[in-house]
Amino acid sequence: MNVLVLNGPNLNLLGTREPSVYGATTLADVEALCREAGAARGASVDCRQSNHEGQLIDWIHEAGVAHREGRLAGVVFNAGAYTHTSIALHDAIKGAGVPVIEVHISNVHARESFRHHSWLSPVAAGIVVGFGVDGYVLAIDGLLRKTASSRS
């Protein structure tokens, strides 16, 4: 089975952006971690990053088609700041019908109040918050377990 890992705005700056919050791990490190986690579970992982909301929406739409065709388990998605602002991403996830696991490296609920609301959570299949980059591994594992149990 395949998994799509999407990263939103500013996640290309991992390793240099606010290391006290996000750590020293780079996006390339996160992508390698995700591919290793997928391979350990018999899944192929495709990683993509964009700072552009429309590109992320297009990828979610594509993921919906791949999921319906049985080629994709779902999406692990760190939407960055779009989590707190994008009704369009909410609508894309809801409309595409693909399982999405929302991921945040930091505990957004322990940060600024504007980060406490997520437009994605109501349409997410699950949420992983505050485990650092290990959250991606937890999300991949959870998504694949959820997919396996729904097919049983």
Side-chain angles (χ1 to χ4, degrees), residues 71-121:
R71 297 182 288 116
L72 186 73
V75 178
V76 169
F77 191 16
N78 184 340
Y82 285 145
T83 302
H84 319 293
T85 64
S86 182
I87 296 168
L89 283 169
H90 166 105
D91 288 350
I93 293 166
K94 186 175 180 181
V98 61
V100 171
I101 308 297
E102 179 182 346
V103 174
H104 299 284
I105 295 169
S106 68
N107 179 354
V108 292
H109 303 290
R111 296 182 62 198
E112 304 94 338
S113 62
F114 68 85
R115 296 184 195 277
H116 298 177
H117 177 76
S118 168
W119 287 103
L120 309 185
S121 294

Side-chain angles (χ1 to χ4, degrees), residues 2-8 11 30 34 37-38 41 43-49 56 59-60 63 72-80 93 98-105 120 124-128 132-144 147:
N2 297 316
V3 173
L4 177 60
V5 174
L6 293 180
N7 282 290
L11 288 156
V30 169
C34 290
R41 292 155 181 80
S44 173
V45 176
D46 179 17
C47 299
R48 303 176 189 177
Q49 187 275 330
L56 295 165
W59 286 335
I60 290 167
L72 186 73
V75 178
V76 169
F77 191 16
N78 184 340
I93 293 166
V98 61
V100 171
I101 308 297
E102 179 182 346
V103 174
H104 299 284
I105 295 169
L120 309 185
I127 305 162
V128 179
V133 297
D134 290 334
Y136 287 89
V137 175
L138 296 170
I140 289 167
D141 187 53
L143 176 63
L144 292 172
T147 300

Side-chain angles (χ1 to χ4, degrees), residues 7-70:
N7 282 290
N10 300 312
L11 288 156
N12 56 305
L13 300 176
L14 283 177
T16 59
R17 176 186 175 214
E18 297 182 81
S20 62
V21 174
Y22 300 106
T25 306
T26 67
L27 182 59
D29 296 334
V30 169
E31 291 174 348
L33 181 70
C34 290
R35 288 187 188 97
E36 290 169 14
R41 292 155 181 80
S44 173
V45 176
D46 179 17
C47 299
R48 303 176 189 177
Q49 187 275 330
S50 180
N51 293 318
H52 304 282
E53 184 179 35
Q55 180 64 75
L56 295 165
I57 290 168
D58 288 345
W59 286 335
I60 290 167
H61 291 175
E62 290 172 16
V65 172
H67 177 70
R68 284 190 299 281
E69 292 175 350

